[in-house]
Amino acid sequence: MPNLKTIRDRIKSVKNTRKITEAMRLVAAAKVRRAQEQVLATRPFADRLAQVLYGLQSRLQLENLDVPLLQQRPVQRVALLILSGDRGLCGAYNATVIRRADNRITELKQLGLEYVLIPVGRKATQYFTRRQHPIDRSFTGLEQIPTAEEARRISQELLSLFLSEDVDRVELIYTRFVSLISSRPVVQTILPMSVQGLEPQDDEIFRLTTREGRLEVERTPRTPTPGELFPQEMVFEQDPVQIFSALLPLYLNNQVLRALQEAASSELASRMTAMNNASDNAKALIKTLTLSYNKARQAAITQQILEVVSGANALKD
C-alpha cells in the first residue's frame, strides 16, 4: 500500500513546481508584448532609412559606385553570426538554431571554404567552444529585450571583419518568429550588402492578444513602403556617394537589431509554450496523484475498519 505521507509530499512538490512554471509563462508573455512594442517603435526609422537608401541608389545607379560594403569579392572565408539564448527552459529553440548552424558549417566545409563563428548567447558559445570551432568573438549576457546599443556593438564587429578583408562574406543564422508555437531557422547574407531589395518582401506586424482567456498572435501582412525617388533638381551638399556610404552601416545596424528582435520573440514564445505545457503536465500529474492518494486513504480506512470488526468478533467469541 502506498505511503500516504509520500504521496502528500509529492503532490505538494508538484504544486510548487506548477506555480513556478506558471509564473515563468506569465513573465515570458509580458516580455513578448514588450518585444512587440519595440518592433513597432523602431519600424518608422527602418522604413524611412530604406526609402532614403532607395532614393540614393536610384539617383546613383548610372555611376560607378565605390562603396566598400557593396564590394563582391571571391569568397574564401565566411563569418557566421549565430543568435541563440543565454538560458534554457525554452523547448527546442536553442537546439534548432544550433543544428541549423551545424548544417551550414558542414556545407561550407564541403565547398572548401574557411569559416569563423560569432556566437551570440551563452548556449551557442558553450556548444561551439566545447567542439573547438574557430570563434572570433562571442556576445553573452544581452538583454532579453534587444537594444540598439547591443546591435551596434555586434554590427561594428561584423564591419571590422569585412572591411579588413578577414572575411569575404558574413551570414546571419537566427530563428524567425512565426507564431507562439513555431519559429523557423533561417540563413541570411548581410555582408556584402545588396542595393536591391532594401526591405523584406514578407514583412509582417504581429500583435499578442488574448482570446477566451488564452494568448494568441494576430499577424498582419504588410506591404513594403514604395521607395521615394529624389527630384532630379535636388542638390546635395555632400557627395551622394559619401551619404550612401554613411547610411549603409545604419542599415546594417537595423538589420542586426531586427534579427535580434525576431530571435528574442522566438525564444520568449518558445519559453512561454514550454512553461504552459509544463503547467498542464503538472496539473494532470496532480490529478493523478490526488486520485492515488484518495484510493490509498480509502484502502487504509477500509483496513482499519476490518481490523476493528475483526477485534470485536474476537471479543464476542
Side-chain angles (χ1 to χ4, degrees), residues 15-62:
K15 285 183 177 179
N16 291 335
T17 301
R18 187 188 176 201
K19 290 179 181 178
I20 295 173
T21 57
E22 187 65 17
M24 293 180 66
R25 183 186 71 84
L26 294 175
V27 170
K31 289 184 176 180
V32 168
R33 289 182 184 272
R34 287 178 56 195
Q36 164 196 310
E37 293 172 358
Q38 188 187 55
V39 170
L40 296 177
T42 58
R43 191 177 299 275
F45 173 78
D47 290 346
R48 189 57 182 170
L49 179 60
Q51 292 174 10
V52 173
L53 285 173
Y54 177 83
L56 284 171
Q57 183 266 331
S58 301
R59 184 69 174 269
L60 302 173
Q61 61 183 351
L62 299 179

mmCIF file of all heavy atoms in Angstrom, residues 15-62:
data_model
loop_
_atom_site.group_PDB
_atom_site.id
_atom_site.type_symbol
_atom_site.label_atom_id
_atom_site.label_comp_id
_atom_site.label_asym_id
_atom_site.label_seq_id
_atom_site.Cartn_x
_atom_site.Cartn_y
_atom_site.Cartn_z
ATOM 1 N N LYS A 15 2.735 20.872 -6.996
ATOM 2 C CA LYS A 15 2.007 22.144 -6.953
ATOM 3 C C LYS A 15 2.969 23.335 -6.917
ATOM 4 O O LYS A 15 2.745 24.345 -7.595
ATOM 5 C CB LYS A 15 1.089 22.173 -5.732
ATOM 6 C CG LYS A 15 -0.167 21.324 -5.875
ATOM 7 C CD LYS A 15 -1.054 21.458 -4.654
ATOM 8 C CE LYS A 15 -2.354 20.658 -4.828
ATOM 9 N NZ LYS A 15 -3.228 20.769 -3.634
ATOM 10 N N ASN A 16 4.038 23.210 -6.132
ATOM 11 C CA ASN A 16 5.028 24.296 -6.090
ATOM 12 C C ASN A 16 5.716 24.472 -7.442
ATOM 13 O O ASN A 16 5.965 25.602 -7.882
ATOM 14 C CB ASN A 16 6.067 24.001 -5.013
ATOM 15 C CG ASN A 16 5.495 24.088 -3.610
ATOM 16 O OD1 ASN A 16 4.507 24.782 -3.378
ATOM 17 N ND2 ASN A 16 6.096 23.392 -2.664
ATOM 18 N N THR A 17 6.011 23.352 -8.104
ATOM 19 C CA THR A 17 6.623 23.424 -9.435
ATOM 20 C C THR A 17 5.683 24.088 -10.426
ATOM 21 O O THR A 17 6.112 24.910 -11.257
ATOM 22 C CB THR A 17 6.986 22.011 -9.919
ATOM 23 O OG1 THR A 17 7.888 21.402 -8.999
ATOM 24 C CG2 THR A 17 7.646 22.062 -11.289
ATOM 25 N N ARG A 18 4.396 23.786 -10.318
ATOM 26 C CA ARG A 18 3.428 24.385 -11.234
ATOM 27 C C ARG A 18 3.339 25.892 -11.020
ATOM 28 O O ARG A 18 3.179 26.657 -11.980
ATOM 29 C CB ARG A 18 2.059 23.738 -11.031
ATOM 30 C CG ARG A 18 1.047 24.188 -12.076
ATOM 31 C CD ARG A 18 -0.334 23.715 -11.763
ATOM 32 N NE ARG A 18 -1.279 24.257 -12.731
ATOM 33 C CZ ARG A 18 -2.576 24.361 -12.521
ATOM 34 N NH1 ARG A 18 -3.090 23.959 -11.385
ATOM 35 N NH2 ARG A 18 -3.373 24.855 -13.444
ATOM 36 N N LYS A 19 3.438 26.341 -9.771
ATOM 37 C CA LYS A 19 3.423 27.780 -9.508
ATOM 38 C C LYS A 19 4.608 28.469 -10.194
ATOM 39 O O LYS A 19 4.471 29.553 -10.758
ATOM 40 C CB LYS A 19 3.485 28.030 -7.996
ATOM 41 C CG LYS A 19 2.221 27.638 -7.251
ATOM 42 C CD LYS A 19 2.385 27.909 -5.764
ATOM 43 C CE LYS A 19 1.129 27.489 -4.997
ATOM 44 N NZ LYS A 19 1.292 27.703 -3.528
ATOM 45 N N ILE A 20 5.778 27.812 -10.170
ATOM 46 C CA ILE A 20 6.967 28.395 -10.805
ATOM 47 C C ILE A 20 6.810 28.457 -12.320
ATOM 48 O O ILE A 20 7.078 29.485 -12.948
ATOM 49 C CB ILE A 20 8.218 27.586 -10.416
ATOM 50 C CG1 ILE A 20 8.479 27.696 -8.906
ATOM 51 C CG2 ILE A 20 9.436 28.059 -11.196
ATOM 52 C CD1 ILE A 20 9.594 26.800 -8.415
ATOM 53 N N THR A 21 6.375 27.351 -12.926
ATOM 54 C CA THR A 21 6.224 27.330 -14.382
ATOM 55 C C THR A 21 5.152 28.308 -14.841
ATOM 56 O O THR A 21 5.294 28.951 -15.886
ATOM 57 C CB THR A 21 5.877 25.908 -14.862
ATOM 58 O OG1 THR A 21 4.676 25.455 -14.201
ATOM 59 C CG2 THR A 21 7.010 24.945 -14.546
ATOM 60 N N GLU A 22 4.084 28.466 -14.068
ATOM 61 C CA GLU A 22 3.038 29.418 -14.436
ATOM 62 C C GLU A 22 3.558 30.847 -14.354
ATOM 63 O O GLU A 22 3.262 31.688 -15.216
ATOM 64 C CB GLU A 22 1.831 29.238 -13.507
ATOM 65 C CG GLU A 22 0.608 30.060 -13.894
ATOM 66 C CD GLU A 22 0.003 29.649 -15.216
ATOM 67 O OE1 GLU A 22 0.311 28.538 -15.693
ATOM 68 O OE2 GLU A 22 -0.772 30.451 -15.781
ATOM 69 N N ALA A 23 4.368 31.134 -13.320
ATOM 70 C CA ALA A 23 4.958 32.468 -13.199
ATOM 71 C C ALA A 23 5.909 32.750 -14.359
ATOM 72 O O ALA A 23 5.904 33.852 -14.927
ATOM 73 C CB ALA A 23 5.691 32.601 -11.872
ATOM 74 N N MET A 24 6.719 31.751 -14.750
ATOM 75 C CA MET A 24 7.636 31.931 -15.873
ATOM 76 C C MET A 24 6.865 32.139 -17.178
ATOM 77 O O MET A 24 7.289 32.906 -18.044
ATOM 78 C CB MET A 24 8.571 30.726 -15.978
ATOM 79 C CG MET A 24 9.539 30.583 -14.820
ATOM 80 S SD MET A 24 10.628 29.158 -14.972
ATOM 81 C CE MET A 24 11.596 29.623 -16.407
ATOM 82 N N ARG A 25 5.734 31.480 -17.317
ATOM 83 C CA ARG A 25 4.922 31.669 -18.528
ATOM 84 C C ARG A 25 4.395 33.094 -18.610
ATOM 85 O O ARG A 25 4.435 33.731 -19.671
ATOM 86 C CB ARG A 25 3.759 30.675 -18.533
ATOM 87 C CG ARG A 25 2.895 30.743 -19.786
ATOM 88 C CD ARG A 25 1.684 29.839 -19.660
ATOM 89 N NE ARG A 25 0.730 30.363 -18.706
ATOM 90 C CZ ARG A 25 -0.192 31.286 -18.997
ATOM 91 N NH1 ARG A 25 -0.269 31.785 -20.218
ATOM 92 N NH2 ARG A 25 -1.038 31.698 -18.085
ATOM 93 N N LEU A 26 3.914 33.613 -17.487
ATOM 94 C CA LEU A 26 3.379 34.968 -17.476
ATOM 95 C C LEU A 26 4.477 36.003 -17.725
ATOM 96 O O LEU A 26 4.264 36.998 -18.430
ATOM 97 C CB LEU A 26 2.683 35.242 -16.136
ATOM 98 C CG LEU A 26 1.422 34.407 -15.855
ATOM 99 C CD1 LEU A 26 0.903 34.691 -14.461
ATOM 100 C CD2 LEU A 26 0.355 34.667 -16.902
ATOM 101 N N VAL A 27 5.665 35.775 -17.168
ATOM 102 C CA VAL A 27 6.786 36.695 -17.401
ATOM 103 C C VAL A 27 7.168 36.696 -18.875
ATOM 104 O O VAL A 27 7.403 37.757 -19.480
ATOM 105 C CB VAL A 27 7.986 36.315 -16.518
ATOM 106 C CG1 VAL A 27 9.220 37.099 -16.927
ATOM 107 C CG2 VAL A 27 7.670 36.573 -15.054
ATOM 108 N N ALA A 28 7.246 35.493 -19.480
ATOM 109 C CA ALA A 28 7.585 35.403 -20.899
ATOM 110 C C ALA A 28 6.533 36.093 -21.756
ATOM 111 O O ALA A 28 6.865 36.787 -22.734
ATOM 112 C CB ALA A 28 7.727 33.937 -21.311
ATOM 113 N N ALA A 29 5.250 35.958 -21.397
ATOM 114 C CA ALA A 29 4.181 36.614 -22.154
ATOM 115 C C ALA A 29 4.317 38.128 -22.085
ATOM 116 O O ALA A 29 4.149 38.834 -23.089
ATOM 117 C CB ALA A 29 2.823 36.179 -21.623
ATOM 118 N N ALA A 30 4.644 38.647 -20.896
ATOM 119 C CA ALA A 30 4.824 40.097 -20.757
ATOM 120 C C ALA A 30 6.004 40.585 -21.588
ATOM 121 O O ALA A 30 5.942 41.660 -22.203
ATOM 122 C CB ALA A 30 5.024 40.445 -19.283
ATOM 123 N N LYS A 31 7.075 39.805 -21.637
ATOM 124 C CA LYS A 31 8.248 40.220 -22.397
ATOM 125 C C LYS A 31 8.002 40.122 -23.899
ATOM 126 O O LYS A 31 8.564 40.903 -24.676
ATOM 127 C CB LYS A 31 9.456 39.375 -21.990
ATOM 128 C CG LYS A 31 9.956 39.704 -20.594
ATOM 129 C CD LYS A 31 11.215 38.932 -20.238
ATOM 130 C CE LYS A 31 11.737 39.355 -18.867
ATOM 131 N NZ LYS A 31 12.973 38.613 -18.492
ATOM 132 N N VAL A 32 7.166 39.178 -24.322
ATOM 133 C CA VAL A 32 6.796 39.119 -25.738
ATOM 134 C C VAL A 32 6.055 40.389 -26.133
ATOM 135 O O VAL A 32 6.278 40.956 -27.207
ATOM 136 C CB VAL A 32 5.940 37.865 -26.026
ATOM 137 C CG1 VAL A 32 5.311 37.957 -27.402
ATOM 138 C CG2 VAL A 32 6.796 36.610 -25.944
ATOM 139 N N ARG A 33 5.185 40.868 -25.249
ATOM 140 C CA ARG A 33 4.479 42.121 -25.523
ATOM 141 C C ARG A 33 5.466 43.290 -25.638
ATOM 142 O O ARG A 33 5.350 44.145 -26.513
ATOM 143 C CB ARG A 33 3.470 42.401 -24.415
ATOM 144 C CG ARG A 33 2.270 41.473 -24.407
ATOM 145 C CD ARG A 33 1.305 41.870 -23.305
ATOM 146 N NE ARG A 33 0.191 40.947 -23.196
ATOM 147 C CZ ARG A 33 -0.939 41.041 -23.874
ATOM 148 N NH1 ARG A 33 -1.084 42.027 -24.742
ATOM 149 N NH2 ARG A 33 -1.908 40.168 -23.712
ATOM 150 N N ARG A 34 6.460 43.325 -24.753
ATOM 151 C CA ARG A 34 7.454 44.396 -24.815
ATOM 152 C C ARG A 34 8.264 44.316 -26.101
ATOM 153 O O ARG A 34 8.575 45.333 -26.736
ATOM 154 C CB ARG A 34 8.382 44.306 -23.607
ATOM 155 C CG ARG A 34 7.746 44.740 -22.298
ATOM 156 C CD ARG A 34 8.706 44.566 -21.146
ATOM 157 N NE ARG A 34 9.949 45.284 -21.398
ATOM 158 C CZ ARG A 34 11.066 45.079 -20.707
ATOM 159 N NH1 ARG A 34 11.102 44.164 -19.747
ATOM 160 N NH2 ARG A 34 12.159 45.773 -20.979
ATOM 161 N N ALA A 35 8.615 43.077 -26.512
ATOM 162 C CA ALA A 35 9.353 42.914 -27.762
ATOM 163 C C ALA A 35 8.517 43.383 -28.942
ATOM 164 O O ALA A 35 9.025 44.021 -29.875
ATOM 165 C CB ALA A 35 9.756 41.447 -27.940
ATOM 166 N N GLN A 36 7.218 43.102 -28.901
ATOM 167 C CA GLN A 36 6.317 43.550 -29.961
ATOM 168 C C GLN A 36 6.262 45.075 -30.017
ATOM 169 O O GLN A 36 6.337 45.683 -31.093
ATOM 170 C CB GLN A 36 4.932 42.993 -29.697
ATOM 171 C CG GLN A 36 3.811 43.664 -30.472
ATOM 172 C CD GLN A 36 2.460 43.336 -29.894
ATOM 173 O OE1 GLN A 36 2.154 42.177 -29.664
ATOM 174 N NE2 GLN A 36 1.658 44.348 -29.654
ATOM 175 N N GLU A 37 6.159 45.721 -28.852
ATOM 176 C CA GLU A 37 6.123 47.182 -28.815
ATOM 177 C C GLU A 37 7.410 47.784 -29.348
ATOM 178 O O GLU A 37 7.407 48.814 -30.025
ATOM 179 C CB GLU A 37 5.867 47.648 -27.378
ATOM 180 C CG GLU A 37 4.477 47.296 -26.855
ATOM 181 C CD GLU A 37 4.338 47.589 -25.379
ATOM 182 O OE1 GLU A 37 5.340 48.020 -24.762
ATOM 183 O OE2 GLU A 37 3.235 47.395 -24.837
ATOM 184 N N GLN A 38 8.547 47.133 -29.055
ATOM 185 C CA GLN A 38 9.824 47.653 -29.541
ATOM 186 C C GLN A 38 9.926 47.543 -31.055
ATOM 187 O O GLN A 38 10.428 48.449 -31.731
ATOM 188 C CB GLN A 38 10.981 46.903 -28.887
ATOM 189 C CG GLN A 38 12.346 47.507 -29.181
ATOM 190 C CD GLN A 38 13.457 46.648 -28.648
ATOM 191 O OE1 GLN A 38 13.540 45.476 -28.960
ATOM 192 N NE2 GLN A 38 14.333 47.227 -27.848
ATOM 193 N N VAL A 39 9.442 46.433 -31.603
ATOM 194 C CA VAL A 39 9.451 46.272 -33.060
ATOM 195 C C VAL A 39 8.637 47.379 -33.718
ATOM 196 O O VAL A 39 9.057 47.997 -34.698
ATOM 197 C CB VAL A 39 8.908 44.877 -33.455
ATOM 198 C CG1 VAL A 39 8.683 44.792 -34.950
ATOM 199 C CG2 VAL A 39 9.868 43.792 -33.019
ATOM 200 N N LEU A 40 7.455 47.656 -33.174
ATOM 201 C CA LEU A 40 6.603 48.692 -33.743
ATOM 202 C C LEU A 40 7.227 50.078 -33.582
ATOM 203 O O LEU A 40 7.046 50.951 -34.444
ATOM 204 C CB LEU A 40 5.228 48.654 -33.074
ATOM 205 C CG LEU A 40 4.402 47.381 -33.300
ATOM 206 C CD1 LEU A 40 3.098 47.459 -32.529
ATOM 207 C CD2 LEU A 40 4.140 47.151 -34.773
ATOM 208 N N ALA A 41 7.966 50.295 -32.488
ATOM 209 C CA ALA A 41 8.572 51.599 -32.245
ATOM 210 C C ALA A 41 9.735 51.875 -33.191
ATOM 211 O O ALA A 41 9.964 53.016 -33.596
ATOM 212 C CB ALA A 41 9.044 51.702 -30.794
ATOM 213 N N THR A 42 10.486 50.843 -33.550
ATOM 214 C CA THR A 42 11.649 51.030 -34.428
ATOM 215 C C THR A 42 11.287 50.976 -35.902
ATOM 216 O O THR A 42 12.116 51.303 -36.754
ATOM 217 C CB THR A 42 12.714 49.954 -34.140
ATOM 218 O OG1 THR A 42 12.147 48.648 -34.331
ATOM 219 C CG2 THR A 42 13.228 50.061 -32.715
ATOM 220 N N ARG A 43 10.067 50.570 -36.216
ATOM 221 C CA ARG A 43 9.687 50.398 -37.623
ATOM 222 C C ARG A 43 9.715 51.700 -38.433
ATOM 223 O O ARG A 43 10.200 51.706 -39.562
ATOM 224 C CB ARG A 43 8.313 49.740 -37.706
ATOM 225 C CG ARG A 43 7.927 49.283 -39.103
ATOM 226 C CD ARG A 43 6.597 48.577 -39.078
ATOM 227 N NE ARG A 43 6.638 47.399 -38.234
ATOM 228 C CZ ARG A 43 7.061 46.224 -38.658
ATOM 229 N NH1 ARG A 43 7.484 46.084 -39.892
ATOM 230 N NH2 ARG A 43 7.058 45.180 -37.860
ATOM 231 N N PRO A 44 9.220 52.844 -37.919
ATOM 232 C CA PRO A 44 9.251 54.069 -38.734
ATOM 233 C C PRO A 44 10.659 54.466 -39.169
ATOM 234 O O PRO A 44 10.854 54.880 -40.316
ATOM 235 C CB PRO A 44 8.626 55.120 -37.803
ATOM 236 C CG PRO A 44 7.763 54.339 -36.883
ATOM 237 C CD PRO A 44 8.477 53.049 -36.659
ATOM 238 N N PHE A 45 11.629 54.349 -38.258
ATOM 239 C CA PHE A 45 13.003 54.689 -38.630
ATOM 240 C C PHE A 45 13.512 53.752 -39.725
ATOM 241 O O PHE A 45 14.148 54.192 -40.692
ATOM 242 C CB PHE A 45 13.912 54.603 -37.406
ATOM 243 C CG PHE A 45 15.373 54.771 -37.728
ATOM 244 C CD1 PHE A 45 15.910 56.027 -37.966
ATOM 245 C CD2 PHE A 45 16.220 53.670 -37.802
ATOM 246 C CE1 PHE A 45 17.252 56.187 -38.270
ATOM 247 C CE2 PHE A 45 17.564 53.811 -38.101
ATOM 248 C CZ PHE A 45 18.073 55.079 -38.340
ATOM 249 N N ALA A 46 13.235 52.454 -39.576
ATOM 250 C CA ALA A 46 13.691 51.488 -40.581
ATOM 251 C C ALA A 46 13.056 51.774 -41.935
ATOM 252 O O ALA A 46 13.717 51.704 -42.981
ATOM 253 C CB ALA A 46 13.366 50.070 -40.118
ATOM 254 N N ASP A 47 11.762 52.098 -41.931
ATOM 255 C CA ASP A 47 11.075 52.397 -43.189
ATOM 256 C C ASP A 47 11.679 53.627 -43.864
ATOM 257 O O ASP A 47 11.936 53.628 -45.079
ATOM 258 C CB ASP A 47 9.582 52.629 -42.925
ATOM 259 C CG ASP A 47 8.866 51.350 -42.538
ATOM 260 O OD1 ASP A 47 9.451 50.274 -42.731
ATOM 261 O OD2 ASP A 47 7.734 51.433 -42.031
ATOM 262 N N ARG A 48 11.889 54.670 -43.090
ATOM 263 C CA ARG A 48 12.425 55.909 -43.675
ATOM 264 C C ARG A 48 13.844 55.718 -44.182
ATOM 265 O O ARG A 48 14.217 56.234 -45.247
ATOM 266 C CB ARG A 48 12.392 57.020 -42.616
ATOM 267 C CG ARG A 48 12.725 58.389 -43.182
ATOM 268 C CD ARG A 48 11.769 58.753 -44.313
ATOM 269 N NE ARG A 48 12.092 60.038 -44.919
ATOM 270 C CZ ARG A 48 11.550 60.493 -46.029
ATOM 271 N NH1 ARG A 48 10.635 59.770 -46.663
ATOM 272 N NH2 ARG A 48 11.902 61.661 -46.513
ATOM 273 N N LEU A 49 14.647 54.950 -43.436
ATOM 274 C CA LEU A 49 16.018 54.687 -43.866
ATOM 275 C C LEU A 49 16.030 53.920 -45.178
ATOM 276 O O LEU A 49 16.828 54.221 -46.084
ATOM 277 C CB LEU A 49 16.758 53.900 -42.778
ATOM 278 C CG LEU A 49 18.208 53.525 -43.060
ATOM 279 C CD1 LEU A 49 19.053 54.773 -43.282
ATOM 280 C CD2 LEU A 49 18.777 52.694 -41.924
ATOM 281 N N ALA A 50 15.147 52.925 -45.306
ATOM 282 C CA ALA A 50 15.074 52.168 -46.560
ATOM 283 C C ALA A 50 14.662 53.063 -47.718
ATOM 284 O O ALA A 50 15.174 52.941 -48.837
ATOM 285 C CB ALA A 50 14.098 51.002 -46.409
ATOM 286 N N GLN A 51 13.745 54.000 -47.475
ATOM 287 C CA GLN A 51 13.315 54.916 -48.530
ATOM 288 C C GLN A 51 14.460 55.818 -48.990
ATOM 289 O O GLN A 51 14.647 56.049 -50.190
ATOM 290 C CB GLN A 51 12.146 55.759 -48.034
ATOM 291 C CG GLN A 51 10.854 54.982 -47.813
ATOM 292 C CD GLN A 51 9.772 55.826 -47.191
ATOM 293 O OE1 GLN A 51 9.910 57.031 -47.093
ATOM 294 N NE2 GLN A 51 8.690 55.195 -46.779
ATOM 295 N N VAL A 52 15.223 56.345 -48.030
ATOM 296 C CA VAL A 52 16.340 57.220 -48.385
ATOM 297 C C VAL A 52 17.396 56.451 -49.175
ATOM 298 O O VAL A 52 17.924 56.946 -50.190
ATOM 299 C CB VAL A 52 16.950 57.843 -47.117
ATOM 300 C CG1 VAL A 52 18.225 58.623 -47.451
ATOM 301 C CG2 VAL A 52 15.943 58.771 -46.445
ATOM 302 N N LEU A 53 17.704 55.246 -48.742
ATOM 303 C CA LEU A 53 18.697 54.436 -49.467
ATOM 304 C C LEU A 53 18.206 54.112 -50.875
ATOM 305 O O LEU A 53 18.993 54.123 -51.828
ATOM 306 C CB LEU A 53 18.988 53.148 -48.693
ATOM 307 C CG LEU A 53 19.859 53.298 -47.447
ATOM 308 C CD1 LEU A 53 19.922 51.980 -46.680
ATOM 309 C CD2 LEU A 53 21.269 53.737 -47.830
ATOM 310 N N TYR A 54 16.921 53.830 -50.993
ATOM 311 C CA TYR A 54 16.365 53.540 -52.315
ATOM 312 C C TYR A 54 16.494 54.771 -53.219
ATOM 313 O O TYR A 54 16.869 54.657 -54.392
ATOM 314 C CB TYR A 54 14.902 53.131 -52.179
ATOM 315 C CG TYR A 54 14.211 52.881 -53.504
ATOM 316 C CD1 TYR A 54 14.334 51.652 -54.147
ATOM 317 C CD2 TYR A 54 13.440 53.873 -54.109
ATOM 318 C CE1 TYR A 54 13.703 51.421 -55.361
ATOM 319 C CE2 TYR A 54 12.817 53.655 -55.313
ATOM 320 C CZ TYR A 54 12.947 52.424 -55.940
ATOM 321 O OH TYR A 54 12.331 52.204 -57.133
ATOM 322 N N GLY A 55 16.177 55.943 -52.666
ATOM 323 C CA GLY A 55 16.289 57.155 -53.466
ATOM 324 C C GLY A 55 17.720 57.448 -53.886
ATOM 325 O O GLY A 55 17.976 57.820 -55.036
ATOM 326 N N LEU A 56 18.666 57.258 -52.969
ATOM 327 C CA LEU A 56 20.068 57.488 -53.313
ATOM 328 C C LEU A 56 20.554 56.483 -54.352
ATOM 329 O O LEU A 56 21.265 56.837 -55.297
ATOM 330 C CB LEU A 56 20.933 57.390 -52.055
ATOM 331 C CG LEU A 56 20.880 58.586 -51.106
ATOM 332 C CD1 LEU A 56 21.604 58.255 -49.814
ATOM 333 C CD2 LEU A 56 21.496 59.814 -51.762
ATOM 334 N N GLN A 57 20.167 55.228 -54.169
ATOM 335 C CA GLN A 57 20.597 54.199 -55.124
ATOM 336 C C GLN A 57 20.047 54.475 -56.516
ATOM 337 O O GLN A 57 20.732 54.318 -57.531
ATOM 338 C CB GLN A 57 20.144 52.820 -54.632
ATOM 339 C CG GLN A 57 20.590 51.650 -55.516
ATOM 340 C CD GLN A 57 19.530 51.287 -56.532
ATOM 341 O OE1 GLN A 57 18.343 51.484 -56.292
ATOM 342 N NE2 GLN A 57 19.966 50.767 -57.665
ATOM 343 N N SER A 58 18.783 54.938 -56.591
ATOM 344 C CA SER A 58 18.196 55.263 -57.890
ATOM 345 C C SER A 58 18.898 56.456 -58.521
ATOM 346 O O SER A 58 19.080 56.515 -59.738
ATOM 347 C CB SER A 58 16.699 55.560 -57.718
ATOM 348 O OG SER A 58 16.028 54.445 -57.169
ATOM 349 N N ARG A 59 19.290 57.407 -57.695
ATOM 350 C CA ARG A 59 19.967 58.604 -58.212
ATOM 351 C C ARG A 59 21.383 58.264 -58.695
ATOM 352 O O ARG A 59 21.885 58.881 -59.645
ATOM 353 C CB ARG A 59 20.043 59.654 -57.098
ATOM 354 C CG ARG A 59 20.632 60.991 -57.533
ATOM 355 C CD ARG A 59 19.687 61.730 -58.482
ATOM 356 N NE ARG A 59 20.186 63.053 -58.779
ATOM 357 C CZ ARG A 59 19.881 64.150 -58.096
ATOM 358 N NH1 ARG A 59 19.031 64.063 -57.067
ATOM 359 N NH2 ARG A 59 20.375 65.316 -58.427
ATOM 360 N N LEU A 60 22.021 57.266 -58.071
ATOM 361 C CA LEU A 60 23.414 56.944 -58.382
ATOM 362 C C LEU A 60 23.549 55.706 -59.250
ATOM 363 O O LEU A 60 24.653 55.222 -59.450
ATOM 364 C CB LEU A 60 24.193 56.717 -57.075
ATOM 365 C CG LEU A 60 24.211 57.876 -56.080
ATOM 366 C CD1 LEU A 60 24.859 57.436 -54.785
ATOM 367 C CD2 LEU A 60 24.954 59.065 -56.662
ATOM 368 N N GLN A 61 22.460 55.181 -59.771
ATOM 369 C CA GLN A 61 22.526 53.895 -60.447
ATOM 370 C C GLN A 61 23.378 53.931 -61.719
ATOM 371 O O GLN A 61 23.900 52.896 -62.144
ATOM 372 C CB GLN A 61 21.124 53.413 -60.781
ATOM 373 C CG GLN A 61 20.355 54.353 -61.707
ATOM 374 C CD GLN A 61 18.944 53.860 -61.950
ATOM 375 O OE1 GLN A 61 18.608 52.746 -61.573
ATOM 376 N NE2 GLN A 61 18.113 54.681 -62.574
ATOM 377 N N LEU A 62 23.547 55.107 -62.315
ATOM 378 C CA LEU A 62 24.353 55.186 -63.525
ATOM 379 C C LEU A 62 25.822 55.460 -63.225
ATOM 380 O O LEU A 62 26.640 55.499 -64.129
ATOM 381 C CB LEU A 62 23.799 56.281 -64.452
ATOM 382 C CG LEU A 62 22.365 56.060 -64.932
ATOM 383 C CD1 LEU A 62 21.933 57.221 -65.827
ATOM 384 C CD2 LEU A 62 22.234 54.738 -65.671
#
